[in-house]
Amino acid sequence: MANRGGFSSKLGFIMAAAGSAVGLGNIWGFPYEVGQGGGAAFVVVYLIFCFILCYPVMVTEIAIGRKTQKNAVGAFNDLGYKKWNIVGKMGILSGVLILSFYNVIAGWAFGYIFEMAAGNFGIAEQFGDYIVDIFTVGAYGLAFMATTAFVVSRGVSGGIEKAAKLLMPTLIIMILSLVIYSLTLENSFAGLQFYLVPDFSELTGSVIYNAMGQAFFSLSLGMGALITYGSYVGKNDNIISSAAFITLADVGIALIAGLMIFPLIGFMTDGTMTEVGRGPGLIFVTLPQIFGSIGGTLGAIVGTTFFVLLCFAALTSTVSLLEVPVAYVVDEMSIRRSRAVWLVATLIFITGIPSLVGNGYSEFFTNFIVYVGADKATDFLSFMNHLANDTLLPLGGCLIVFFAAHVWKKHNLDEELSNGAPGYKGSFVQKYLNFAISYLAPTVLGVLFVFTVLSTFFGIKII
Ligand code: PHE
């Protein structure tokens, strides 16, 4: 077997996997979902998903990867269940689709660094025009994809791990500084209250589906990203504790991102919180307005810091999204890594063009599809988001745990998990994981998958 490379240490793996998890999902997605989906009630449901259902999926993915030392498709073949590699293929498809639109949003964020540095806060009101200017934002997207490809082409320890070790600590320092700053503003408390005091009357079926999709997306689960990263993990590393740390880091950064953003909104709305329902535009429209009201050099510094932070977070995630198809091509088609990287990155960039032009430039992709029972059309980027995040990822997660428990079998999974985790066998964690992986997660995820598809695409609301 060709030398596939690997992480240099357990810490290297944790940093890279946490880097994959922490991304636009935490800093862009989480706050806007909270704003849209009922504030703290959403946060509570989200936390339940992360710890009770997603953590077991994460452990399973890493174990499958490490056991087989293969990519998301090859792993199933290697275990002797070729038919099941369809789950891996679906994962690779999800990865390609997610990266195609994720990179568009990362490109917007990248361009905002220059706007903020130049003190152009008026961009907030012109966001619609900004994203219609597809040649400019397309160039930013191209630069972002090229940076991602460059990192991945340097290999696992020399590229992916190194970037994460540099970017993640910087990100944490930047985000904490911004939290401290935003808490000193007037009316920050109103923001905290909205964010942290749950009102469960806000809890609807769609809040639950969104929380599930968000949890999977944010933890990079359900598409084999962690099977792939797991394949580079050392045999003596502790998967149980690594996965716990990755989950905590991801949830922690999402929560901290909320602590940064909601006080800012409290400040801007004089405590009324009326602007919070703005959805995806939250960080591109509302935040620059806030930076503008801070004004001057300070506003530019805060704004620039924010978008640099966002791009760092996004980069360690795009790197992991690209690594999934790249590892597949390298392992299964014996193509050299550097070649595979540029080939796959180019294809994905092209796949992203409909998402790029579907925000007002192209009428066709802007009003791409009307879901059954919906009163207005959905644009291509949002459609990809619904398809990949809210449906394919939970479905992938459901099938992966079902496979591990009932096809590959629990005792084999347990065997792999106990490598590097001496106290695992017989522990409470083992009992819980067995229950969750065999019964709880497949059932809950399976049922919610069906409900989500019915509700999102067909307008049939069961809960
Ligand atoms: N977890 C990343 C984020 O929150 C996105 C991602 C999803 C990365 C799936 C890899 C796999 O932005």
Side-chain angles (χ1 to χ4, degrees), residues 90 209 212 386-396 398-399 441-457:
M90 194 175 87
Y209 311 143
M212 172 175 70
H386 295 151
L387 183 69
N389 304 5
D390 297 351
T391 47
L392 290 180
L393 295 186
L395 175 64
C398 171
L399 294 173
T443 320
V444 175
L445 296 177
V447 170
L448 286 182
F449 163 73
V450 175
F451 285 7
T452 306
V453 172
L454 290 176
S455 152
T456 309
F457 301 109

Side-chain angles (χ1 to χ4, degrees), residues 108-133:
W108 298 344
F110 184 50
Y112 259 53
I113 295 179
F114 306 109
E115 301 293 340
M116 292 296 112
N120 180 17
F121 306 112
I123 191 77
E125 279 74 37
Q126 296 146 16
F127 180 61
D129 299 330
Y130 174 74
I131 57 179
V132 168
D133 181 5

Side-chain angles (χ1 to χ4, degrees), residues 7-16 161 233-234 236-239 241-243 245 420:
F7 294 113
S8 67
S9 63
K10 180 180 164 191
L11 181 71
F13 163 63
I14 290 179
M15 287 280 212
E161 179 178 334
V233 169
N236 298 320
D237 290 344
N238 186 328
I239 294 180
S241 65
S242 303
F245 190 86

Side-chain angles (χ1 to χ4, degrees), residues 20-26 98 102 217-220 223 225 317 320-321:
S20 165
V22 174
L24 294 177
N26 305 58
I98 292 176
Y102 196 99
F217 181 74
S218 184
L219 290 165
S220 304
M223 51 156 276
S317 301
S320 71
L321 285 160

Side-chain angles (χ1 to χ4, degrees), residues 9-193:
S9 63
K10 180 180 164 191
L11 181 71
F13 163 63
I14 290 179
M15 287 280 212
S20 165
V22 174
L24 294 177
N26 305 58
I27 298 164
W28 166 72
F30 178 75
Y32 101 64
E33 296 269 11
V34 174
Q36 236 173 14
F42 175 90
V43 179
V44 173
V45 182
Y46 172 73
L47 291 178
I48 295 175
F49 271 111
C50 287
F51 290 108
I52 311 248
L53 288 167
C54 291
Y55 172 70
V57 178
M58 181 182 289
V59 165
T60 309
E61 282 203 28
I62 300 172
I64 292 177
R66 185 176 68 176
K67 169 79 190 168
T68 59
Q69 319 256 298
K70 285 274 159 55
N71 63 85
V73 173
F76 291 93
N77 298 345
D78 195 75
L79 292 172
Y81 303 97
K82 261 206 141 107
K83 280 201 187 123
W84 279 85
N85 80 18
I86 180 85
V87 178
K89 288 181 177 152
M90 194 175 87
I92 288 178
L93 175 71
S94 318
V96 168
L97 295 181
I98 292 176
L99 182 53
S100 76
F101 73 78
Y102 196 99
N103 187 67
V104 171
I105 302 167
W108 298 344
F110 184 50
Y112 259 53
I113 295 179
F114 306 109
E115 301 293 340
M116 292 296 112
N120 180 17
F121 306 112
I123 191 77
E125 279 74 37
Q126 296 146 16
F127 180 61
D129 299 330
Y130 174 74
I131 57 179
V132 168
D133 181 5
I134 59 150
F135 294 99
T136 308
V137 288
Y140 289 134
L142 193 60
F144 207 88
M145 184 65 92
T147 312
T148 305
F150 173 74
V151 173
V152 176
S153 72
R154 304 296 300 255
V156 180
S157 61
I160 298 175
E161 179 178 334
K162 221 175 183 177
K165 279 182 167 164
L166 181 75
L167 298 178
M168 292 302 286
T170 322
L171 181 147
I172 290 172
I173 295 170
M174 287 197 286
I175 202 170
L176 289 178
S177 329
L178 288 181
V179 169
I180 294 168
Y181 174 73
S182 67
L183 288 176
T184 62
L185 294 171
E186 229 172 302
N187 289 315
S188 59
F189 190 72
L192 285 186
Q193 203 168 11

Side-chain angles (χ1 to χ4, degrees), residues 403-450:
F403 167 82
H406 303 289
V407 182
W408 183 36
K409 300 281 190 253
K410 274 202 298 261
H411 65 268
N412 289 315
L413 175 66
D414 269 342
E415 208 51 55
E416 187 56 35
L417 289 174
S418 55
N419 285 331
Y424 174 65
K425 281 207 173 145
S427 67
F428 168 75
V429 178
Q430 183 199 16
K431 293 195 181 83
Y432 176 69
L433 283 178
N434 272 338
F435 167 68
I437 292 167
S438 309
Y439 309 109
L440 187 68
T443 320
V444 175
L445 296 177
V447 170
L448 286 182
F449 163 73
V450 175

Side-chain angles (χ1 to χ4, degrees), residues 135 203 207 210 415:
F135 294 99
L203 206 60
V207 169
N210 288 344
E415 208 51 55

